[in-house]
Amino acid sequence: MEKGFTTASLRNIVKTAGVTTGAFYGYYKSKEELFDSLIGKQAAYVLQLFDTSLKEVRELPGEEQTRQMKEISERGMARLIDYMYENRDAFQLLILCAEGTKHEDFLHRLAEKETESSLAYIKVLRQEGICVRAVHRKLIHIVSSGLFTAVFETIVHDMPIEEAREYIQQLERFHTAGWEELLGVKFGE
């Protein structure tokens, strides 16, 4: 946590843990494998949680997607916050210390999933005959990236969970209003 993945030396890791380098290699093949054992499960869970929420929306007819979008999003975000706080140390490592690992693009991967999902949603709306304003893919990615960066700021700034929940609810309202303005579509109606 102090040095981040790239600058933490294996020598200091084993010394601090009170084990030999040989003992370390009895458990892990590399420093990256150690890092992955600390945060890999949590990163995979969040990606899966997000996929589950997206699938829940995708399986609905177009107009129903619009009606239920806010509720599904809020439910998924609440689960995410609870899980992040149950695994706070792992998420601090993932968000603050993953440079140089296969997890360094975690937020980007979430933003890409959101971008693809948003483009698919826009396509469904148009197929349903709903007039949707054109929004460039790059802008969708930027907005999505901003959302996920903001969500994980609760961990970066070590907010108490109740404060984080309030912050995320406000962030969701802001994000929803922005999408409604960009697309010209009201969610929940």
Side-chain angles (χ1 to χ4, degrees), residues 1-10 13-14 24-25 27-44 87-107 109 155:
M1 190 73 82
E2 252 178 58
K3 305 269 185 188
F5 176 80
T6 338
T7 57
S9 75
L10 186 56
I13 292 171
V14 296
F24 172 85
Y25 284 117
Y27 292 100
Y28 305 102
K29 294 177 185 165
S30 65
K31 184 172 77 166
E32 174 131 11
E33 189 176 294
L34 168 63
F35 190 83
D36 189 54
S37 76
L38 296 171
I39 58 96
K41 179 179 121 187
Q42 291 82 1
N87 297 275
R88 182 179 260 175
D89 290 345
F91 281 100
Q92 285 179 328
L93 279 172
L94 176 60
I95 301 305
L96 298 171
C97 303
E99 184 180 344
T101 73
K102 68 182 183 180
H103 300 286
E104 70 183 347
D105 67 343
F106 176 73
L107 292 176
R109 288 168 52 203
I155 292 294

Side-chain angles (χ1 to χ4, degrees), residues 1 35-50 77 79-99 103 106-107 110 148-149 151-158:
M1 190 73 82
F35 190 83
D36 189 54
S37 76
L38 296 171
I39 58 96
K41 179 179 121 187
Q42 291 82 1
Y45 177 85
V46 169
L47 293 168
Q48 182 59 48
L49 176 65
F50 193 65
M77 204 60 83
R79 280 184 270 175
L80 172 61
I81 290 297
D82 288 344
Y83 186 74
M84 282 170 33
Y85 276 78
E86 288 167 13
N87 297 275
R88 182 179 260 175
D89 290 345
F91 281 100
Q92 285 179 328
L93 279 172
L94 176 60
I95 301 305
L96 298 171
C97 303
E99 184 180 344
H103 300 286
F106 176 73
L107 292 176
L110 284 171
F148 289 111
T149 299
V151 166
F152 287 98
E153 284 290 300
T154 60
I155 292 294
V156 170
H157 293 288
D158 207 19

Side-chain angles (χ1 to χ4, degrees), residues 49-59 113-114 117:
L49 176 65
F50 193 65
D51 286 343
T52 300
S53 292
L54 293 177
K55 182 178 182 222
E56 192 177 340
V57 171
R58 260 192 328 267
E59 289 177 348
K113 284 178 180 283
E114 176 71 9
S117 166

